[in-house]
Amino acid sequence: MADQWTVLLEPSSRHFQGESAIDAAALLVGTLPAKWSERWTTVPDRPVLWTREREWVTGGDLDDLSRRAAGALRRHGVSRGDRIALCGDSSLPMIACYLGALRSGVVVVPMNAGATGAEILRIAGDAGVSLVVHPGETLAGMGLSVPVVAGAGLLADPGDARTGGLDELEPGDAALICFTSGTTGRPKGAVITHGNLYSCSRALEQAWRWQPEDRLLLTLPLSHVHGLCFSLNTLLLVGASAVVAEKFDPGWVTDAVAKYDATMFFGVPTMYHRLVTDPDVARMAQLRLCVSGSAPLAPTLFEKFQNATGHPPLERYGLTEALVCVSNPYEGLRVPGSVGLPLPGVEVGLDPEGIVHVRSPSVFAGYYENPAATADAVDADGWLRTGDIGAVDDHGYLKLLGRNIDLIVTGGYNVYAREIENALLENELVSEAAVVGMPSEEWGEEVVAFVVPGRAAVDEEDLLGPLRRDLAGYKRPRRIRFIDELPRNHMGKVQKHHLIADQQGAV
């Protein structure tokens, strides 16, 4: 396919050379659990994670807790290759369950802790999970046909912690199934292998100069690859440490920088929007690196944060199906509005329509039990079609111009318009509905619904009420606009770009 492309950006290792450069071949071998356990047994007393439950947790503690979790999963009948849904908050029990599952070869299906019962039921069914691990004790009345256990309950299991058969994994073994909207259709389960996770973390170790002395302020949800794969996985690989917050709070972040002697912060644009209004944001000048991702960072927000802290945020680009692909350099120019250069081992291409394609060791293994969708996404040569529109800027960096209009990224989360439209259309008060993403400095994009009402005197609350039952909070429309008819072309297809243009003109 590459010979059809007008632009092809080759791997740019020269832009990411640290003191100990990683050969591209090294990205292809190894698994994270093996490296984690080796480090934990070598330096068992080194503090690794600060959590609310136990304050500082050492490597030896994580080894013990993850072994206990692995043993408990086995006693619940979960075997190697089985799938569990992990409705993850950022608590120590849920982290231990995640680590124990991966160490024992169990495939984790991460889910937002705020997911509704209907969403858990759908994804658990699609992935064929054997067990649901949830922060609460029960999910009574949800209709699940598999057991539900609390994460803390697993660790309280009195069984023997000396679980054998751990860390015996191959790079091609499945590690995660992350449900994502992709670019078309119902949300699909992207199968991410242990090799994908390992290659991503090794590339980030080099690109962002991770060191064992680093300490990350981890406020991202662990149900998302940004917090789970790019943050937690990588810091455990390199032997760094993290202060784990259960939720993001700008005041907590600015206080924690000095309190915990932090060096790094990773966030989404929504977090940066709130940080720049915090009176103590200048305290973040102590950090050596601030990374933004999961949604476009507005150039004006880039400049506000840089002016307040002296740090130009390092913006990067990735997606569930390929993890992190592109990054602004750690050393050198960081360009507002551009996402940078391909990471070590990554190739990036632009087809004649400007669609971004990537090929790397971190490109996923395919959609779970959906070979047709996999074939549409990845060609025979391993190139993933992302659906994002890009160009190369004057600095030779990748600049994203837009994305498939039906994929909305709000607050760092992927939202698929059709899922919301279908939920709206289940309401008898709705005749027609179209959902779009509108630019937002705070959220990256915000979900806006255009509705043709089925009868007179319909208001927003008539529609939002049922959505609170069926959709997680980040998926619900932030605005609902009632209109007389949807714009359509001669084939009857809704022309959403007209809705966006009209709404922007009205603001």
Side-chain angles (χ1 to χ4, degrees):
M1 177 181 287
D3 59 356
Q4 303 173 18
W5 289 338
T6 56
V7 178
L8 187 66
L9 301 176
E10 298 291 350
S12 302
S13 297
R14 67 184 183 277
H15 298 284
F16 299 106
Q17 292 293 105
E19 293 181 1
S20 55
I22 301 171
D23 184 86
L27 301 174
L28 301 172
V29 294
T31 64
L32 291 177
K35 297 295 183 181
W36 294 338
S37 60
E38 178 184 348
R39 186 173 293 279
W40 295 337
T41 55
T42 302
V43 284
D45 297 328
R46 184 181 178 90
V48 180
L49 299 177
W50 187 98
T51 68
R52 176 183 56 81
E53 294 88 353
R54 289 179 52 169
E55 297 194 348
W56 281 110
V57 179
T58 67
D61 294 332
L62 287 178
D63 183 43
D64 175 70
L65 290 169
S66 58
R67 286 179 181 274
R68 288 185 180 276
L73 289 173
R74 290 181 183 179
R75 287 187 288 278
H76 277 82
V78 181
S79 303
R80 182 189 180 100
D82 287 345
R83 295 157 300 285
I84 64 168
L86 190 61
C87 301
D89 57 10
S90 297
S91 66
L92 180 59
M94 300 304 277
I95 292 172
C97 291
Y98 166 72
L99 300 175
L102 261 59
R103 294 186 70 183
S104 56
V106 172
V107 182
V108 173
V109 183
M111 293 193 66
N112 190 301
T116 67
E119 290 168 323
I120 295 173
L121 183 64
R122 181 179 67 247
I123 289 178
D126 286 352
V129 304
S130 302
L131 186 73
V132 174
V133 184
H134 194 273
E137 292 295 329
T138 64
L139 291 172
M142 195 175 66
L144 280 172
S145 60
V146 297
V148 179
V149 298
L154 284 179
L155 296 186
D157 194 306
D160 191 349
R162 294 171 296 177
T163 305
L166 299 183
D167 312 322
E168 298 174 357
L169 303 158
E170 298 295 331
D173 292 340
L176 306 177
I177 300 178
C178 296
F179 276 77
T180 175
S181 301
T183 57
T184 59
R186 177 186 174 114
K188 302 177 289 293
V191 179
I192 300 173
T193 68
H194 281 276
N196 295 152
L197 296 179
Y198 180 80
S199 64
C200 174
S201 288
R202 289 302 303 274
L204 292 180
E205 176 187 5
Q206 177 175 329
W208 295 347
R209 309 294 197 271
W210 277 91
Q211 299 294 327
E213 296 74 27
D214 276 317
R215 179 160 293 162
L216 175 68
L217 295 179
L218 181 48
T219 65
L220 292 159
L222 298 182
S223 56
H224 191 280
V225 292
H226 194 167
L228 192 64
C229 303
F230 314 156
S231 304
L232 180 65
N233 285 357
T234 307
L235 73 90
L236 294 178
L237 171 67
V238 303
S241 60
V243 180
V244 182
E246 294 186 346
K247 63 179 181 179
F248 171 76
D249 176 77
W252 181 91
V253 171
T254 56
D255 287 343
V257 172
K259 182 177 180 179
Y260 298 105
D261 198 23
T263 64
M264 307 170 78
F265 172 78
F266 298 172
V268 300
T270 304
M271 295 178 179
Y272 284 93
H273 179 86
R274 295 178 180 177
L275 282 167
V276 296
T277 63
D278 188 275
D280 296 318
V281 66
R283 295 177 180 176
M284 298 185 73
Q286 174 184 315
L287 301 173
R288 74 166 183 86
L289 179 62
C290 297
V291 175
S292 178
S294 299
L297 183 71
T300 54
L301 188 52
F302 178 106
E303 293 170 2
K304 288 177 183 177
F305 188 80
Q306 182 177 17
N307 292 338
T309 65
H311 283 295
L314 187 152
E315 190 171 7
R316 55 81 182 163
Y317 166 63
L319 62 162
T320 302
E321 291 89 342
L323 304 178
V324 181
C325 314
V326 176
S327 171
N328 274 263
Y330 178 75
E331 295 175 357
L333 181 65
R334 299 178 193 173
V335 180
S338 292
V339 291
L341 300 158
L343 290 176
V346 178
E347 298 168 274
V348 176
L350 303 176
D351 68 17
E353 296 179 349
I355 301 293
V356 178
H357 296 247
V358 298
R359 180 167 65 177
S360 80
S362 61
V363 169
F364 77 140
Y367 293 113
Y368 180 69
E369 294 190 344
N370 197 335
T374 302
D376 287 342
V378 184
D379 72 10
D381 295 322
W383 287 95
L384 170 69
R385 184 182 188 276
T386 69
D388 292 307
I389 309 296
V392 177
D393 69 12
D394 294 339
H395 303 280
Y397 290 11
L398 178 65
K399 182 181 180 68
L400 298 178
L401 305 178
R403 57 192 309 118
N404 182 294
I405 200 169
D406 281 338
L407 182 61
I408 303 166
V409 180
T410 180
Y413 290 105
N414 285 356
V415 175
Y416 192 60
R418 186 175 301 172
E419 181 182 11
I420 305 168
E421 289 164 357
N422 289 342
L424 284 166
L425 290 169
E426 290 179 3
N427 192 322
E428 62 180 10
L429 300 178
V430 176
S431 175
E432 293 183 292
V435 171
V436 301
M438 296 294 298
S440 165
E441 182 173 280
E442 180 176 5
W443 300 102
E445 291 179 291
E446 63 179 13
V447 179
V448 178
F450 292 84
V451 170
V452 178
R455 70 182 190 194
V458 177
D459 61 29
E460 286 194 10
E461 188 55 33
D462 292 330
L463 308 185
L464 290 174
L467 295 184
R468 293 190 185 99
R469 181 192 64 232
D470 298 326
L471 297 175
Y474 65 90
K475 295 181 181 179
R476 298 173 203 147
R478 293 193 170 272
R479 286 184 282 163
I480 294 178
R481 296 290 180 261
F482 294 98
I483 56 178
D484 294 331
E485 61 180 6
L486 297 177
R488 298 179 183 274
N489 64 13
H490 68 285
M491 296 294 291
K493 183 176 180 179
V494 176
Q495 296 183 298
K496 292 188 175 181
H497 60 283
H498 290 313
L499 294 173
I500 294 173
D502 291 345
Q503 184 62 28
Q504 287 176 325
V507 173

